[in-house]
């Protein structure tokens, strides 16, 4: 086997394992930022995002995303058996990356499987503490078939946006904005948690039960993001270090700026918002991590650090969509922002093309998410009843608390 190909295989597979580990990061962030009585439910949803995403992306989603192109819109082959998309030597060459020569189908498939699961799991936090587990399972399967692979084909599967020159290297739009839009629509249709809003419309804070666990999740996500962004080269190249630097600098700048903004805005540096600032910078740089300079990465991160604070507050207090972990602000808003800023800071990327890309994905995902969540709500129902929500989903949905032998008050 060619040495370069072997290195490409090893690097891409390592990236896939790092991105898989991000599922643990999401689980810790969501569990820590919500109440103890729902922790088991959070863990189950994050686990099933990956389980269902793996199965349905293998059976259908991969073919939709990377099958034979139909008018730049959708893939039309490889269903039920993605290995049929490989050549006689078991290699697949999608051609969406400049200079990309191909990988064994299994390596490429597992790499994109973990990306699909990431898009699905973003929604879990925004709909936390009041969603039926059965309804969430249906949604998780649906995004892996009808939403993520379609826009993924447009961007990475040789579809019309890739042909137009749209640049989203590792998924600010393809993964994060898609997940953020679905999170917003799902949380909006679902409605707020009991006690979130007063009669006059003012919002009440509902603190998470374990900020250290949430912080651990952010550290895991930051670590895994090196696989997310650097691994998206899908080959062992000399640009890996450059991508790692832009990724890290954007995250650092966003964290620092979010801390400063909250210090000024609230009088104290807010822990959870600063942690979300880290994620905001990571999300924002993901589109252009391969195309912008280190100083541009600092600028993108700094902008994201400002935007995420005001976006989360705006969604919570003005739009009145209850998002317990800030997923919409972090992934939806900063995914969109970072994709557009790639066009601003990279001389090789058109801002107009970036605007067309995020606009088209925004429209498609919004329409599909409304249809999917409405159908679920009208059939099996999205929301648990009042008693189940007050007591906690761990007891009613799963039959046991996450913290055995602890006396948990019902509002914790």
């Amino acid at each position: 086997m060619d040495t370069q190909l072997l290195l490409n295989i090893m690097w891409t597979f390592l990236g896939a394992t790092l991105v898989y580990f991000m599922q643990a990061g999401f689980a810790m962030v969501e569990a820590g930022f919500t109440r103890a009585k729902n922790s088991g439910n959070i863990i189950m949803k994050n686990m099933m995002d990956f389980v269902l995403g793996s199965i349905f992306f293998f059976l259908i989603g991969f073919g939709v995303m990377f099958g034979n192109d139909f008018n730049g819109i959708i893939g039309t082959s490889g269903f039920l058996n993605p290995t049929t998309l490989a050549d006689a030597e078991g290699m697949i060459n999608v051609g969406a990356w400049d200079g990309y020569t191909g990988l064994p189908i299994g390596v490429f498939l597992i790499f994109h499987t973990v990306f699909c699961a990431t898009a699905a799991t973003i929604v879990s936090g925004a709909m936390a503490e009041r969603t039926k587990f059965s309804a969430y399972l249906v949604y998780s399967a649906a995004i892996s078939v009808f939403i993520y692979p379609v826009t993924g084909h447009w961007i990475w599967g040789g579809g019309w946006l890739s042909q137009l020159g749209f640049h989203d290297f590792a998924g600010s739009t393809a993964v994060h904005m898609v997940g953020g839009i679905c999170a917003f629509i799902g949380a909006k249709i679902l409605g707020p948690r009991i006690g979130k809003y007063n009669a006059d419309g003012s919002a009440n804070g509902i603190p998470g039960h374990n900020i250290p666990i949430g912080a651990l999740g952010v550290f895991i996500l930051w670590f895994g993001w090196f696989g997310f962004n650097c691994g998206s080269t899908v080959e062992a190249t000399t640009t890996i270090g450059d991508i790692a630097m832009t990724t890290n600098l954007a995250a650092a700048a966003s964290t620092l700026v979010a801390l400063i903004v909250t210090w000024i805005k609230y009088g104290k540096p807010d822990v959870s918002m600063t942690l979300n600032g880290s994620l905001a910078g990571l999300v924002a740089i993901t589109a252009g991590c391969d195309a912008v300079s280190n100083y541009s990465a600092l600028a993108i991160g700094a902008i994201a650090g400002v935007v995420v604070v005001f976006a989360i507050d705006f969604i919570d207090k003005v739009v009145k969509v209850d998002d317990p972990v800030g997923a919409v602000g972090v992934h939806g808003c900063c995914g969109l922002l970072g994709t557009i800023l790639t066009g601003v800071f990279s001389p090789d990327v058109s801002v107009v093309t970036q605007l067309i890309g995020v606009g088209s994905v925004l429209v498609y995902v919004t329409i599909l998410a409304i249809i999917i969540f409405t159908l679920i709500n009208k059939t099996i129902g999205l929301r648990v009843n009042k008693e189940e929500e007050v007591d906690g989903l761990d007891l009613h949905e799963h039959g046991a608390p996450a913290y055995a032998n602890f006396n948990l008050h019902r509002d914790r």
Side-chain angles (χ1 to χ4, degrees), residues 10-243:
M10 293 173 64
W11 175 244
T12 304
F13 183 73
L14 175 61
T17 59
L18 288 173
V19 176
Y20 169 73
F21 190 47
M22 290 172 70
Q23 291 292 126
F26 280 113
M28 294 299 96
V29 169
E30 293 168 20
F33 284 8
T34 53
R35 288 169 289 187
K37 63 185 181 181
N38 299 305
S39 296
N41 178 257
I42 292 287
I43 299 303
M44 284 289 283
K45 288 197 297 181
N46 278 270
M47 173 62 77
M48 295 312 297
D49 277 327
F50 186 77
V51 169
L52 293 173
S54 295
I55 294 170
F56 283 93
F57 189 70
F58 168 76
L59 293 174
I60 303 173
F62 189 82
V64 171
M65 194 163 173
F66 293 109
N68 294 333
D69 177 64
F70 176 74
N71 292 332
I73 302 298
I74 195 170
T76 59
S77 60
F79 303 122
L80 304 182
N81 186 9
T83 58
T84 59
L85 296 176
D87 61 21
E89 296 180 348
M91 306 289 286
I92 183 169
N93 185 355
V94 177
W97 292 271
D98 293 336
Y100 175 62
T101 56
L103 280 172
I105 182 68
V107 176
F108 193 75
L109 177 55
I110 192 62
F111 185 78
H112 279 282
T113 296
V114 295
F115 270 61
C116 178
T118 300
T121 206
I122 289 168
V123 184
S124 171
M127 298 178 66
E129 304 201 297
R130 72 268 199 208
T131 305
K132 283 183 179 179
F133 186 62
S134 58
Y136 191 81
L137 295 181
V138 174
Y139 150 75
S140 187
I143 191 176
S144 304
V145 174
F146 301 111
I147 297 180
Y148 173 78
V150 175
T151 53
H153 180 79
W154 299 355
I155 298 167
W156 290 334
W160 70 278
L161 282 179
S162 65
Q163 296 168 22
L164 196 63
F166 180 70
H167 190 92
D168 185 15
F169 182 70
S172 287
T173 290
V175 177
H176 296 283
M177 194 183 84
V178 166
I181 295 168
C182 291
F184 178 81
I185 300 299
K188 178 66 176 177
I189 293 175
L190 183 62
R193 290 168 291 175
I194 295 171
K196 175 62 182 177
Y197 295 106
N198 299 313
D200 61 0
S202 59
N204 297 312
I206 303 178
H209 83 284
N210 196 330
I211 295 302
I213 284 292
L216 174 62
V218 171
F219 282 119
I220 291 172
L221 287 169
W222 196 323
F223 172 70
W225 228 285
F226 292 116
F228 204 95
N229 287 2
C230 301
S232 289
T233 59
V234 293
E235 56 184 347
T237 72
T238 56
T239 62
I240 290 170
D242 298 327
I243 294 170

Side-chain angles (χ1 to χ4, degrees), residues 132 134-135 138 371-382:
K132 283 183 179 179
S134 58
V138 174
I371 291 171
I372 289 169
F373 282 118
T374 300
L375 285 174
I376 294 172
N377 198 35
K378 296 294 185 182
T379 51
I380 62 177
L382 275 174

